[in-house]
Amino acid sequence: MEKARRFADHVRHVTQIYENALETLSQEAQPMDAILIHSGTEGIYFGDDRHISFQAFGHFNHWIPVNRPDQMLLFQPGKKPTYFQVVPPDFWYDQTVVQEAWWADQYEIIRLEKPQEVMDHLPNTRRIVFLGENTKFAADMGLPAYLHNEKNLVNYLDYYRGMKTEYEVEELREANRMAVAGHKAAEQAFLNFGSERDIHLAFLNANHMLETDSPYTNIVGLDRHAAILHYQYKQRAKGDQSRVLLIDAGCVSNRYCSDITRTYMRKGGHAVFGELLKGVDVLELKLAEMVKEGMPYRQLHEAAHDGVLDLLLASEIVKGNRDELAENQRISKLFFPHGVGHLLGLQVHDVGGFFKDDHGALAPPPEEHRFLRLNREMKNGMVFTIEPGLYFIPMLLDPERESELGKSLNWSLIDALIPYGGIRIEDNIWLSENGPVNLTR
Ligand code: GLY
Ligand code: MN
Ligand code: MN
């Protein structure tokens, strides 16, 4: 089976990263012999007995596609990794772990009833690193505090999560295929004058999904709501007056996420908004094609700002000298106030966006682009989003109505476009050895 072969290759690759990490860091930082990764502990709302929807720790899911609390993976160089599958006897909840041979065959599997029983199976060394949120559990087992989430190791592992294996790319492709079907259904629901809630449910229904299956809270905004970047509600009001839909929604395949945004305008809407919509789509595709190994991702972000300014000038929302207006991107930031994308993988905003190297040297975003979540040089194997936007956000625009900068803005046109909210087009891109591949289209 092709999937089993891909997964075996993936585990070989991850094993190599872990072996290299222990070897290198044991010399340079401190001796570490083994790594125990804990998937996490199920939380309960304060003062309640209701569980918070659980999401396993990404580094656990890098090995095992099981989204369950208290599962553990033990890594020791030169040994088959051990999966401690904790299945408590419980008549309140179904604790069964669905195990499939394509991934399970890669592990030594030890079934336990309680997480604490793992102590009987740990190697005979004190230098075991614990990776996971519940460091109290680690301390209770006697694992040394100085090796809880050992920083050098976490940096190293985060850095390499950025480059995906063939298995991971296929899962990301599948998460995209599912989400594209959802987006088609959502578009139809919009065209049929559905409410935000109808559109959201149409997206979920296309894949028979529950909300807890989503990689993030769907953003489903009609009209002005499209200008709220992470708009979180879903109104019940019918969309019979609606003109624009912005939907940012994704799916998950074996814990790998897609993150896709589409914007639609109904026929008969403002012609300038229609032009901008086409323009952002063309810009997104152009940016996706620019990506090359070695290119700083920040260059794409700068190019997105140039592209947004060009669209604003072409539509005469902005008037004046292009070079002056381009300075510091003050104009384009009013209409495009977020980063152009981020790494994508086991988390929607995947780890490792700010590293210069695998030793934890940081590459934080520059002050002028502090919302940029990816500031690395692009490397083959990376999967990331490209998501330029152009919005009419009153909170950002209003302070400029009387300002010097505001003199270059066409306020009557802006006022006519504010009810249309905004535009974002977001695809998921894999930088393959043969160049960028769009996993969404
Ligand atoms: N869906 C959140 C984002 O696009 O980053
Ligand atoms: Mn998104
Ligand atoms: Mn995104």
Side-chain angles (χ1 to χ4, degrees):
M1 187 178 137
E2 193 54 13
K3 188 160 184 143
R5 197 270 308 156
R6 282 198 297 267
F7 190 74
D9 288 349
H10 169 74
V11 170
R12 252 192 301 281
H13 174 85
V14 177
T15 300
Q16 192 64 56
I17 292 171
Y18 274 61
E19 281 182 358
N20 292 349
L22 284 189
E23 192 179 317
T24 312
L25 300 175
S26 287
Q27 284 165 17
E28 295 177 6
Q30 49 208 332
M32 297 178 263
D33 299 331
I35 303 171
L36 184 70
I37 314 176
H38 185 231
S39 66
T41 301
E42 198 162 32
I44 289 175
Y45 289 106
F46 180 62
D48 200 343
D49 63 356
R50 184 179 163 214
H51 290 112
I52 299 166
S53 173
F54 179 77
Q55 183 167 310
F57 179 39
H59 284 300
F60 175 80
N61 284 152
H62 204 198
W63 290 97
I64 295 181
V66 168
N67 189 32
R68 285 277 299 276
D70 286 321
Q71 309 297 297
M72 281 167 275
L73 184 289
L74 176 68
F75 175 79
Q76 293 173 272
K79 294 206 170 141
K80 194 170 185 179
T82 307
Y83 168 28
F84 296 105
Q85 188 176 78
V86 178
V87 181
D90 180 359
F91 54 83
W92 291 95
Y93 293 98
D94 181 0
Q95 300 285 1
T96 322
V97 174
V98 180
Q99 195 169 294
E100 293 175 76
W102 63 264
W103 62 264
D105 286 353
Q106 296 302 316
Y107 300 102
E108 199 66 60
I109 297 183
I110 298 181
R111 182 78 69 92
L112 306 175
E113 292 195 347
K114 288 193 199 114
Q116 290 75 6
E117 291 166 11
V118 76
M119 283 167 80
D120 302 335
H121 301 273
L122 294 180
N124 194 15
T125 163
R126 279 192 47 80
R127 299 189 305 206
I128 303 174
V129 183
F130 177 84
L131 298 182
E133 185 184 13
N134 194 344
T135 49
K136 179 172 179 314
F137 167 66
D140 290 347
M141 286 196 302
L143 298 178
Y146 79 99
L147 291 179
H148 293 175
N149 296 309
E150 204 282 331
K151 192 165 67 53
N152 298 287
L153 180 65
V154 172
N155 287 342
Y156 194 99
L157 299 177
D158 283 355
Y159 179 87
Y160 285 101
R161 278 258 298 276
M163 283 71 75
K164 268 58 179 180
T165 59
E166 182 195 0
Y167 160 75
E168 294 180 289
V169 173
E170 286 310 307
E171 294 309 316
L172 289 158
R173 206 190 284 280
E174 174 62 12
N176 266 265
R177 194 196 57 70
M178 293 162 71
V180 166
H183 276 277
K184 282 197 184 125
E187 181 186 9
Q188 277 312 310
F190 166 63
L191 293 175
N192 293 334
F193 303 96
S195 65
E196 290 173 350
R197 201 166 281 230
D198 291 330
I199 296 165
H200 168 64
L201 292 172
F203 180 91
L204 296 179
N205 269 335
N207 287 290
H208 277 205
M209 281 166 72
L210 303 176
E211 286 197 51
T212 46
D213 298 327
S214 292
Y216 54 91
T217 304
N218 282 352
I219 299 165
V220 185
L222 289 174
D223 302 336
R224 286 168 200 262
H225 291 158
I228 302 169
L229 299 180
H230 281 173
Y231 172 68
Q232 70 276 46
Y233 301 117
K234 283 99 187 165
Q235 302 276 1
R236 291 171 189 272
K238 279 284 158 209
D240 41 9
Q241 305 296 319
S242 67
R243 292 182 268 208
V244 169
L245 166 67
L246 184 153
I247 171 164
D248 183 341
C251 293
V252 175
S253 176
N254 286 311
R255 311 303 303 144
Y256 287 87
C257 309
S258 54
D259 177 10
I260 300 173
T261 310
R262 291 291 179 263
T263 310
Y264 309 99
M265 183 181 74
R266 211 182 287 291
K267 277 204 185 87
H270 201 297
V272 171
F273 195 84
E275 285 305 309
L276 293 173
L277 189 45
K278 270 192 224 131
V280 175
D281 194 56
V282 169
L283 173 62
E284 190 271 325
L285 290 171
K286 196 180 98 188
L287 294 169
E289 287 192 353
M290 281 170 57
V291 187
K292 281 206 262 301
E293 183 160 70
M295 173 191 266
Y297 186 81
R298 189 175 149 181
Q299 252 177 39
L300 282 186
H301 183 71
E302 307 265 354
H305 273 280
D306 287 344
V308 167
L309 179 60
D310 287 336
L311 290 174
L312 292 167
L313 285 164
S315 58
E316 298 186 349
I317 291 169
V318 172
K319 288 187 187 141
N321 178 291
R322 193 190 182 285
D323 292 339
E324 281 172 26
L325 293 166
E327 207 174 316
N328 300 330
Q329 291 138 355
R330 279 184 64 206
I331 288 279
S332 49
K333 273 186 193 165
L334 285 178
F335 296 89
F336 170 44
H338 59 77
V340 77
H342 48 86
L343 290 170
L344 181 71
L346 290 163
Q347 291 156 231
V348 170
H349 297 156
D350 212 7
V351 292
F354 300 128
F355 289 119
K356 268 203 194 82
D357 59 35
D358 59 11
H359 277 52
L362 286 176
E367 186 45 40
E368 66 274 22
H369 296 302
R370 64 201 161 93
F371 296 123
L372 190 57
R373 291 175 191 266
L374 173 52
N375 192 32
R376 266 170 80 165
E377 251 182 31
M378 301 314 287
K379 270 181 159 315
N380 286 346
M382 283 183 169
V383 176
F384 48 91
T385 69
I386 299 210
E387 48 182 305
L390 199 165
Y391 314 84
F392 299 92
I393 304 174
M395 193 187 295
L396 298 181
L397 293 168
D398 284 346
E400 306 301 340
R401 285 187 189 264
E402 307 298 328
S403 75
E404 196 51 38
L405 191 71
K407 289 184 183 150
S408 352
L409 300 179
N410 179 345
W411 288 103
S412 59
L413 183 50
I414 288 174
D415 284 331
L417 295 174
I418 282 177
Y420 290 76
I423 301 161
R424 176 163 69 254
I425 305 289
E426 176 175 29
D427 283 345
N428 302 167
I429 311 297
W430 165 45
L431 183 52
S432 78
E433 298 206 335
N434 302 317
V437 175
N438 192 325
L439 299 176
T440 310
R441 306 213 193 202

